[in-house]
Amino acid sequence: MLKKLFFTCFLGLIAPMANAEKATVLVQESAPLEITSYTNRYKSPDRVGDGTVIHRAQVQNVSNQPVEAYGLGFYIFDAFNRDMGRPFVGYAMNQVMVDASDEPGWEQRASSAFLFQHHGHGLAYVAIVRFKDGSIWRADNSAITKQLEDFELLLDGETSN
C-alpha cells in the first residue's frame, strides 16, 4: 500500500513536468530591467472560449535610477511550434527602485489559446521602461527580431525530426 501511494505521488509530481509549457527569456544586455524568472501556463476558460495564457515574471531594476512603469513583451508558440500571432506586451505601472524587484503577471487572450496547453513555448523580453525622470528606454527591435528568428530556426529543427 505504501509503495502504491509513493508511486502515485511520484507520478503526480513527474507528469506535469513531462507536459509542461516552456519559457525562455531573450538576452538583452543593455536593458534597465532584468527578467530573473519567467513562467507561463495555459488556463482553461471559465465558461466558454479558448482559454488564456498566463505569464508570470520577476524583474529586477539593474539600472542606476528608479523605474516608474514598464512593459514586458511575450511571443508564444503552440504545441505544433507555430507562432501564435503578434507579440503581447503586458504593462506594469509599478515603481521599481534601484536594485529592487517586482513580480508582475498577465493573462493573454490569444486566439486558439488551448493549443498552448502542455507543449506551448513562451519567450519574454523587456519591451519598454519609463524612468522616474521621464526618460524612456525601448528594446532594440532588431536584436529581438534576430533572436526570434534564431529561435524559430531551432523550432523548425524540432519539427523536422
Side-chain angles (χ1 to χ4, degrees), residues 87-100:
F88 169 76
V89 178
Y91 295 95
M93 303 306 287
N94 304 341
Q95 186 176 54
V96 186
M97 301 306 290
V98 175
D99 294 326

Side-chain angles (χ1 to χ4, degrees), residues 100-115:
S101 295
D102 192 28
E103 295 185 22
W106 295 277
E107 192 166 335
Q108 179 180 2
R109 298 190 188 286
S111 178
S112 302
F114 66 92
L115 292 172

Side-chain angles (χ1 to χ4, degrees), residues 1-7:
M1 180 68 172
L2 188 56
K3 263 187 178 178
K4 185 176 181 182
L5 178 63
F6 175 76
F7 185 71

Side-chain angles (χ1 to χ4, degrees), residues 22-78:
K22 298 174 188 170
T24 300
V25 176
L26 298 181
V27 176
Q28 295 176 278
E29 293 178 12
S30 67
L33 293 176
E34 179 184 353
I35 301 172
T36 56
S37 73
Y38 165 54
T39 61
N40 55 54
R41 68 177 178 81
Y42 170 74
K43 178 183 168 192
S44 297
D46 295 331
R47 292 188 185 95
V48 274
D50 292 337
T52 58
V53 176
I54 305 293
H55 301 279
R56 299 267 184 257
Q58 181 173 27
V59 298
Q60 182 174 4
N61 183 348
V62 294
S63 74
N64 58 3
Q65 57 183 315
V67 167
E68 285 288 311
Y70 61 92
L72 299 185
F74 303 97
Y75 286 94
I76 57 174
F77 295 82
D78 68 15

